Amino acid sequence: MGMLASLISGLASGETIAAMRRARTAAIVYVLAISAALCGLGFLIGAAYIWTAMRYGSLAAALGFGAGFLVLAGLILLIYQISAGSRARRRAQRRNADLKAIGITAALAVLPTLLKGKGGLGVILGPAVALAAYAIYRENVKSDDPDESERK
């Protein structure tokens, strides 16, 4: 409820609208700066092409620039593919950590209620034993990770 009240008061005071205007202005400035930088880069590439064409001929310059940009595109894709595996592993680790934190938080939130109830300790020990058994099972099952199977 407090979050909603601060949002409503922010809207009423005009802070939210001012922040949106600042964000929109910043986005426009960045788009213009990137556009100018790309134009400048294009002219520099054009100048390099003209210099290369004057020195080695237009056919050699065109072939060299074409091959250079194809190599650059290949390198970008190769680096992206190589880093995709590590990004996926980091996302999985982050997801597991988030799920563990949510589970621990939920367990701690329910713990006082369970301790006061009729079942008491038995109500807590049953799911705890099941979770421990599941963790042991997960440790002993073969991994489906393709990187893991290549190492063996």
Side-chain angles (χ1 to χ4, degrees):
M1 192 68 171
M3 180 100 163
L4 182 61
S6 69
L7 179 62
I8 291 173
S9 67
L11 283 172
S13 67
E15 289 178 31
T16 305
I17 294 170
M20 293 292 283
R21 283 188 186 135
R22 285 192 303 271
R24 187 182 68 212
T25 302
I28 291 170
V29 168
Y30 282 120
V31 165
L32 290 173
I34 290 171
S35 298
L38 289 174
C39 287
L41 185 61
F43 276 104
L44 288 174
I45 290 171
Y49 175 80
I50 291 170
W51 179 81
T52 307
M54 288 174 37
R55 185 167 176 116
Y56 299 107
S58 58
L59 180 61
L63 289 172
F65 271 72
F69 279 110
L70 287 175
V71 167
L72 180 64
L75 285 174
I76 291 169
L77 289 175
L78 181 67
I79 291 169
Y80 178 77
Q81 288 297 323
I82 290 172
S83 65
S86 64
R87 283 194 308 274
R89 280 191 291 279
R90 274 190 304 241
R91 277 194 304 270
Q93 288 172 347
R94 200 174 312 123
R95 193 170 35 252
N96 286 340
D98 290 346
L99 287 176
K100 285 178 187 174
I102 289 170
I104 290 170
T105 304
L108 289 176
V110 173
L111 189 62
T113 305
L114 291 176
L115 288 174
K116 291 178 186 175
K118 292 180 184 177
L121 197 56
V123 173
I124 295 171
L125 287 180
V129 170
L131 283 173
Y134 179 70
I136 292 169
Y137 168 77
R138 291 286 297 170
E139 286 291 323
N140 293 316
V141 171
K142 287 185 181 178
S143 175
D144 291 337
D145 188 6
D147 293 337
E148 193 72 30
S149 62
E150 288 175 8
R151 283 187 234 143
K152 292 182 180 178

